[in-house]
Amino acid sequence: MSESLPAYLRRYREQLGENHESQIESTISTRHEFVLDGTSFISFLWSASALPWVYGGEYAAFARIVSGVLEGLMSCGIRTHLVFDGPTRSVDIQRSIKHTVDTQIGPSVLFHRTSQVARSSARFLNESSILPPLCYEACIAALDTLSYDCARYHAEGDTKRFCVELASKLNGFVAGSNSELVFYTTTGYQGYIPLDSLSWILPTKHDEILDQNDPDPAQFMVVNRGKKHKPVARGISPPPSDCIGISFFAYQPSRLAKKLSLPPTALSLLGAFLGNQLSNALPVNLYRQHFQKHHNDVIYVASVIEAALSSKARQKPLSGFILIRNVIDTLMWRPELLSSSDHDTMTSVIVDCTLQYVIEQPLGGPAQSLWPTKLCPLHPIDSCPLSLLKLIPGTSSESSLDSHHSLYSKAILSYIDAYWKGNLSPNIINLFDCGTFWPIIFLENPDQESCQVTVGRGIRLEIYKILGHFFQSQLPLLPEVGMSAPVDDLLKSSENSIYESPTQVTEYIRKGSSLSACPIILPEDVLHPELPVICQGDNDRLNYFLSAMGSCTPLVMSLPKECLMVVACMRWVVQTAVWSCPEAQLALYACLPGSETFGSKPILNNEKAIQHTAEILAAFENANYLRQVLLLPERIPHCAQHFSGMQLHSLFGWESFDVARLHLHANWSLCWHALSEGLDSYLAMVPERKQKQKLVKNTKSSPAVKIPLKPSLFTMLGDLEEDG
């Protein structure tokens, strides 16, 4: 009977790992290092929080949960390091398309194709849940509020590999939801911790019961003590106030290898056949025909590898390449029918998949090799796979970076610093790397055009123009020319471009119920004679952001910085979609920080509220990309942690609409005047614009035409009666 890897790990849990505990009184020497897979951590926390997803997200509550869990882990002697997904590699595009369709588009189509009564049930909402699109931004905002400095990273390539490399240098564990982490073996890596194995430890309770049959109270009293209660497993939610520690279970790769009678180094080959890399890299027909039936059979694949190793030991020394070919021939169905070219392709792919699980041993000890340079926490500059480093010409070491004083190099270094701090999305790195962009899709109506086109594309075009102009310029800054020098002096010191500006960006946008690649040809007017906006001062970049968002007005520029992005996004949404004045007023109130909850109970089946929520989230997402490209994280704080989808739906279902109630918010009146400035034609009381004129049908009825019946026996008899 075949058995998948997660089922196999659960079945032999006690033999493959051990339980650990960490108390609140833990000293620095007994602390544990946790490397958290950020994407798995966010998804698991959201599922465990039981927060409603269908309204668009409750990001303030989610941020409190994130900070509560991380503070609880730190108080129990666990230091956390979060690693988020990096840019989408070219080899992972097909996998990313399938993942987007399965997790974003599919549930959205199912929601809109289901009746209003059925989709309101708790079972339907649990089975078709979608992760709200701004959870990552809310998590980053929560990290900034912690009482300690929680390290955060973005993976350069494969997230699992980056987590294990980081854990090996920290002598720590990797916590996540991907069981493939048991295939990695390297010095310092302590093992894989499933997130669902974490549980808070509560103090043991004793029930003391006095024996009432004792006649003399002055003598010793007989006390019957109840059994000790086991620690209450509260999952990974914020710990209770009486928590005294945390327990977790860790799988150890060495024990897995021993259980399967394999050397630890052979786990990488086992992972190549059982992991997801093979199905993504091999052609579909080859994978389904030869390997799909073995994908969920841990014991059989391990026995084949063990037999190949045993035969290798009895014969002359063979190379690893021949060993892999022998394993392939055993697992394949009728390998004699496979052509030699397909056989070579299959072997090459499996070798590459095997190398994904092989990590070089660190030199000089685990702790000494962390942050070998200030630009990468794991690798030297010449071996770092981060594509941003390759954009600086002639950079092979940290000393060579110090010799680069150009505006171009300084901007790239600022991007690298923002990337490691979580202030530069991997979606932006995709533009540098493979020229792709992956907007998030949330609960969009499949019968309408995607909000990422109607609302988001205009903002993204500004991003493409900024980066295109930046690549074309590359203005080197001479020592005698400063950042505040006139533009003419900087232009005189320019050199010829080394890198070509990208002329096309491929956006992956929803079309109907599928995800389509939409090539965007960049216009030729991206070149401007002035200095690139990225290389300009903070005020100039801020003005460019407001101008690109259609919000460069005196009232908007005078707003507090925590309200700036909300108003700019709402102004953009009003100008690109169909909104009425009351709808814009209510949505602005729901997005502002410090808004009180009032209105009616959230109505799930309000189609207008669902559509407007998708439009607002698309504007927030793309405006966040624009502020990151312009390096404005401090001047324009993100507003994700203040948005409440339930509040928005409650206000949209508010029958007794009263504007005076909205004025109770301290900043609402100021923000509304800034939002509505110059947009009177867009903020109509009834959204009648952008509606196609219906064709006027001719109401005059044409005279009825009597169609003669075909001659039949009954008509012939009727004619005879009339003649008679």
Side-chain angles (χ1 to χ4, degrees):
M1 180 179 178
S2 62
E3 195 170 25
S4 63
L5 179 62
Y8 182 85
L9 295 179
R10 288 192 298 268
R11 181 180 178 185
Y12 299 101
R13 172 189 173 100
E14 301 301 328
Q15 303 178 35
L16 301 178
E18 59 183 358
N19 285 300
H20 299 265
E21 290 186 2
S22 182
Q23 304 293 332
I24 289 183
E25 297 83 5
S26 300
T27 61
I28 297 179
S29 59
T30 59
R31 288 184 181 273
H32 297 282
E33 300 287 345
F34 271 24
V35 177
L36 292 174
D37 182 352
T39 303
S40 300
F41 178 70
I42 290 175
S43 301
F44 189 84
L45 262 190
W46 182 268
S47 300
S49 66
L51 293 172
W53 63 269
V54 71
Y55 300 110
E58 303 301 312
Y59 300 107
F62 182 67
R64 289 193 296 268
I65 292 175
V66 171
S67 59
V69 170
L70 295 178
E71 291 284 4
L73 291 175
M74 186 64 182
S75 65
C76 294
I78 294 177
R79 187 170 183 84
T80 55
H81 308 260
L82 268 73
V83 177
F84 299 99
D85 288 344
T88 303
R89 300 173 298 175
S90 300
V91 296
D92 295 333
I93 287 181
Q94 294 301 322
R95 180 189 62 82
S96 299
I97 292 176
K98 183 179 183 302
H99 178 75
T100 302
V101 172
D102 293 341
T103 60
Q104 299 178 20
I105 299 179
S108 299
V109 174
L110 181 62
F111 179 86
H112 287 281
R113 294 288 185 262
T114 306
S115 65
Q116 295 184 355
V117 176
R119 71 188 187 189
S120 301
S121 63
R123 179 178 179 180
F124 176 86
L125 295 177
N126 290 332
E127 293 178 351
S128 60
S129 62
I130 306 174
L131 184 68
L134 301 181
C135 285
Y136 167 77
E137 284 75 15
C139 180
I140 294 296
L143 296 181
D144 295 333
T145 62
L146 297 177
S147 60
Y148 68 99
D149 185 15
C150 180
R152 67 197 77 167
Y153 310 90
H154 274 109
E156 304 149 333
D158 184 63
T159 306
K160 302 186 299 296
R161 182 185 178 90
F162 188 94
C163 289
V164 174
E165 284 192 74
L166 183 60
S168 67
K169 299 177 186 300
L170 297 170
N171 198 30
F173 302 87
V174 176
S177 301
N178 196 325
S179 56
E180 294 180 26
L181 289 165
V182 297
F183 295 136
Y184 292 89
T185 56
T186 183
T187 304
Y189 175 44
Q190 299 299 312
Y192 156 60
I193 301 174
L195 288 174
D196 55 6
S197 71
L198 296 172
S199 59
W200 305 109
I201 302 176
L202 300 183
T204 305
K205 298 179 180 179
H206 298 279
D207 297 329
E208 297 186 358
I209 305 174
L210 295 179
D211 191 347
Q212 301 296 332
N213 298 325
D214 190 356
D216 188 2
Q219 297 179 359
F220 291 103
M221 293 181 295
V222 179
V223 178
N224 296 327
R225 295 185 180 272
K227 294 183 179 180
K228 293 184 178 181
H229 294 281
K230 294 182 179 180
V232 178
R234 297 189 179 269
I236 199 173
S237 58
S241 58
D242 56 346
C243 174
I244 62 173
I246 189 171
S247 65
F248 57 92
F249 185 86
Y251 290 100
Q252 297 179 359
S254 58
R255 292 194 178 189
L256 175 63
K258 183 178 180 181
K259 175 67 177 177
L260 296 174
S261 302
L262 294 174
T265 55
L267 290 180
S268 57
L269 181 58
L270 181 65
F273 288 102
L274 299 179
N276 295 323
Q277 299 284 345
L278 183 62
S279 60
N280 298 326
L282 270 182
V284 178
N285 58 336
L286 293 179
Y287 176 75
R288 290 180 177 177
Q289 184 177 3
H290 297 285
F291 295 108
Q292 190 173 23
K293 61 180 179 180
H294 303 309
H295 181 71
N296 292 328
D297 199 341
V298 178
I299 298 177
Y300 176 71
V301 176
S303 63
V304 171
I305 296 176
E306 180 190 5
L309 290 172
S310 301
S311 61
K312 175 184 175 182
R314 292 192 299 265
Q315 299 174 1
K316 295 180 180 180
L318 300 176
S319 64
F321 187 82
I322 298 179
L323 171 65
I324 292 176
R325 295 201 66 159
N326 293 339
V327 175
I328 292 175
D329 292 339
T330 306
L331 292 177
M332 283 173 51
W333 179 77
R334 301 190 68 179
E336 66 275 5
L337 300 180
L338 194 67
S339 63
S340 59
S341 60
D342 288 342
H343 200 288
D344 293 339
T345 300
M346 189 177 298
T347 305
S348 177
V349 167
I350 294 177
V351 168
D352 293 338
C353 294
T354 304
L355 294 177
Q356 291 293 326
Y357 297 96
V358 178
I359 298 177
E360 297 181 0
Q361 301 297 329
L363 300 176
Q368 298 179 8
S369 55
L370 187 62
W371 285 103
T373 68
K374 60 183 179 181
L375 298 179
C376 181
L378 300 180
H379 311 102
I381 293 179
D382 54 352
S383 61
C384 181
L386 185 62
S387 58
L388 284 176
L389 284 174
K390 299 177 176 61
L391 298 177
I392 303 179
T395 302
S396 59
S397 63
E398 190 170 3
S399 59
S400 62
L401 275 177
D402 298 334
S403 62
H404 285 276
H405 299 289
S406 66
L407 291 176
Y408 176 83
S409 299
K410 286 187 176 181
I412 292 295
L413 294 178
S414 299
Y415 277 150
I416 294 174
D417 182 66
Y419 180 71
W420 292 122
K421 292 180 179 179
N423 293 326
L424 188 66
S425 172
N427 241 338
I428 305 299
I429 308 299
N430 288 333
L431 297 175
F432 295 101
D433 197 359
C434 54
T436 60
F437 209 93
W438 302 77
I440 301 176
I441 299 159
F442 179 78
L443 213 59
E444 294 183 352
N445 191 335
D447 298 329
Q448 298 182 11
E449 191 175 22
S450 174
C451 296
Q452 293 293 351
V453 176
T454 58
V455 177
R457 177 162 290 174
I459 304 176
R460 293 195 299 273
L461 288 177
E462 291 293 333
I463 296 175
Y464 306 152
K465 290 180 182 179
I466 293 172
L467 295 178
H469 185 202
F470 174 64
F471 278 114
Q472 284 286 349
S473 58
Q474 301 181 30
L475 302 178
L477 183 61
L478 299 179
E480 63 272 9
V481 181
M483 288 290 290
S484 59
V487 174
D488 295 338
D489 295 340
L490 293 173
L491 291 175
K492 292 178 182 179
S493 63
S494 62
E495 295 180 353
N496 294 330
S497 176
I498 299 177
Y499 298 97
E500 294 184 359
S501 173
T503 59
Q504 176 177 308
V505 174
T506 302
E507 294 183 343
Y508 287 88
I509 303 293
R510 178 192 62 81
K511 287 188 177 180
S513 58
S514 61
L515 191 69
S516 301
C518 302
I520 304 298
I521 306 299
L522 301 185
E524 297 181 358
D525 59 349
V526 296
L527 298 180
H528 304 283
E530 67 270 10
L531 185 69
V533 64
I534 300 177
C535 303
Q536 298 178 14
D538 291 350
N539 293 331
D540 295 330
R541 285 183 274 119
L542 177 61
N543 292 335
Y544 189 96
F545 174 86
L546 296 177
S547 177
M549 296 292 295
S551 302
C552 193
T553 64
L555 289 179
V556 175
M557 298 179 68
S558 63
L559 291 174
K561 66 177 184 179
E562 61 270 12
C563 302
L564 197 59
M565 190 170 179
V566 174
V567 175
C569 290
M570 286 302 305
R571 285 178 60 90
W572 180 266
V573 168
V574 167
Q575 296 176 73
T576 54
V578 181
W579 282 67
S580 66
C581 183
E583 292 169 353
Q585 291 174 336
L586 295 174
L588 175 64
Y589 183 87
C591 297
L592 288 176
S595 300
E596 296 182 2
T597 302
F598 64 90
S600 63
K601 184 179 179 181
I603 301 176
L604 178 59
N605 297 316
N606 190 335
E607 296 293 342
K608 184 175 293 186
I610 294 174
Q611 180 66 20
H612 285 342
T613 300
E615 293 167 353
I616 292 174
L617 294 176
F620 282 169
E621 177 195 353
N622 290 278
N624 181 45
Y625 296 144
L626 181 60
R627 67 185 271 273
Q628 290 180 350
V629 168
L630 293 173
L631 299 172
L632 294 171
E634 297 180 357
R635 296 293 299 272
I636 309 177
H638 201 285
C639 54
Q641 66 272 23
H642 305 303
F643 178 78
S644 172
M646 291 185 64
Q647 171 78 312
L648 180 63
H649 281 70
S650 298
L651 293 175
F652 270 61
W654 190 18
E655 296 180 357
S656 57
F657 174 72
D658 185 9
V659 181
R661 186 72 179 271
L662 304 181
H663 283 277
L664 297 178
H665 191 282
N667 293 324
W668 184 88
S669 179
L670 180 64
C671 292
W672 172 248
H673 289 304
L675 190 156
S676 58
E677 183 181 10
L679 301 182
D680 296 337
S681 59
Y682 293 95
L683 292 170
M685 294 301 296
V686 180
E688 297 178 351
R689 59 187 177 86
K690 294 187 179 181
Q691 293 182 356
K692 296 182 179 180
Q693 295 182 354
K694 296 182 179 179
L695 296 177
V696 180
K697 296 182 179 180
N698 188 7
T699 57
K700 295 182 179 180
S701 59
S702 57
V705 179
K706 186 176 181 180
I707 302 176
L709 298 175
K710 293 182 179 180
S712 62
L713 177 61
F714 298 102
T715 56
M716 293 173 62
L717 292 176
D719 294 339
L720 290 176
E721 291 180 357
E722 292 178 358
D723 295 340

